[in-house]
Amino acid sequence: MPRIAGYEIEGELRAALAEDDRPIRIAGVDEVGRGAWAGPVVVCAAITDLSPPPVLQGRGKRTIGLTDSKLLTETHRESFAEVLPGWLHAHAIGASAPEEIDEVGMTEALRRAAVRALEALPAPPDVVILDGKHDFLRSPWQVRCEIKADQRSVTVAAASVLAKVHRDRLMAALDGEYPGYGFADSAGYPSPVHQRTLEESGPTPHHRLSWSYLDGLPRWRHLKRHRDPLAGEGQLSLL
């Protein structure tokens, strides 16, 4: 059974940051699509009121608790995505498109997507929980990085599910426009079907053209985009 997320991290943050009994706004942030070859990187920021999260009814008396989206079935993710927006205090989605990823690199594109999500919240959070050990967000937010936060923090788990479902739906919508790449099944990740169609038909406008997969595609290698390390962040040249 997957580990069910709780409020362990949120509780520690509340104890450390509480001032004059003012409620502490804690945002859980998670991303999806970082390793894909096509499509955007998507980030969700979620804030709860620290109430018990919704659960799903499984077979018999079994219940399905909120946890890392990767540990849930597609059906359970979709079901949680229907109820989480009404339960959460607030949530917002941010994204960086493939062109932006090519222009500035994944780390900066991920930061921008997270900033867009956080700035779209009704009020800025007091602290942000990031899944992982690297603070890609940086100032002005106070950040706590936690490995496997999507299995330990309800707010991060909720963000994980909503980001995953949002991006999967975007990629499924592209499947009809670009058949053969398997976007509905692989969401732009390098599945065998995706790799085969790339080799035969080349990248779509939704592919990341600065990524190394193009090095293995002789017919399409000329499309690869390269950042010039001497030209500064975000500068690209076609080589």
Side-chain angles (χ1 to χ4, degrees), residues 32-67:
V32 63
R34 191 188 308 209
W37 288 2
V41 61
V42 171
V43 175
C44 179
I47 298 177
T48 80
D49 62 2
L50 302 182
S51 63
V55 296
L56 305 178
Q57 187 62 49
R59 294 181 179 179
K61 296 182 179 181
R62 178 172 172 249
T63 58
I64 309 298
L66 186 60
T67 188

Side-chain angles (χ1 to χ4, degrees), residues 5 11 88 194:
L88 287 167
H194 187 179

Side-chain angles (χ1 to χ4, degrees), residues 16-207:
L17 300 175
E19 295 180 2
D20 302 323
D21 295 324
R22 180 178 68 85
I24 303 299
R25 288 186 298 272
I26 302 171
V29 168
D30 204 5
E31 54 79 23
V32 63
R34 191 188 308 209
W37 288 2
V41 61
V42 171
V43 175
C44 179
I47 298 177
T48 80
D49 62 2
L50 302 182
S51 63
V55 296
L56 305 178
Q57 187 62 49
R59 294 181 179 179
K61 296 182 179 181
R62 178 172 172 249
T63 58
I64 309 298
L66 186 60
T67 188
D68 173 11
S69 64
K70 297 184 293 296
L71 301 180
L72 297 168
T73 66
E74 180 181 359
T75 298
H76 292 151
R77 287 195 298 268
E78 289 283 348
S79 296
F80 271 122
E82 294 300 316
V83 299
L84 284 173
W87 170 74
L88 287 167
H89 176 70
H91 78 285
I93 297 285
S96 288
E99 297 88 346
E100 188 170 27
I101 295 170
D102 287 335
E103 180 182 355
V104 300
M106 177 53 74
T107 299
E108 175 62 14
L110 182 58
R111 187 193 70 81
R112 292 183 181 187
V115 168
R116 288 165 186 151
L118 288 164
E119 289 184 342
L121 292 171
D126 298 293
V127 62
V128 176
I129 305 173
L130 287 183
D131 182 30
K133 61 181 179 179
H134 299 296
D135 178 9
F136 58 80
L137 187 58
R138 305 190 298 275
S139 60
W141 288 277
Q142 184 172 347
V143 173
R144 173 157 168 177
C145 297
E146 288 287 345
I147 296 174
K148 294 190 180 297
D150 46 12
Q151 298 179 41
R152 301 170 53 210
S153 161
V154 169
T155 51
V156 177
S160 170
V161 169
L162 291 175
K164 170 78 172 153
V165 171
H166 180 88
R167 188 178 185 279
D168 282 355
R169 290 173 178 174
L170 286 178
M171 297 307 296
L174 292 176
D175 196 69
E177 189 175 355
Y178 300 97
Y181 291 86
F183 287 157
D185 297 320
S186 69
Y189 284 83
S191 68
V193 169
H194 187 179
Q195 295 181 64
R196 182 169 61 250
T197 304
L198 259 176
E199 187 171 355
E200 295 170 353
S201 304
T204 72
H206 300 278
H207 277 85

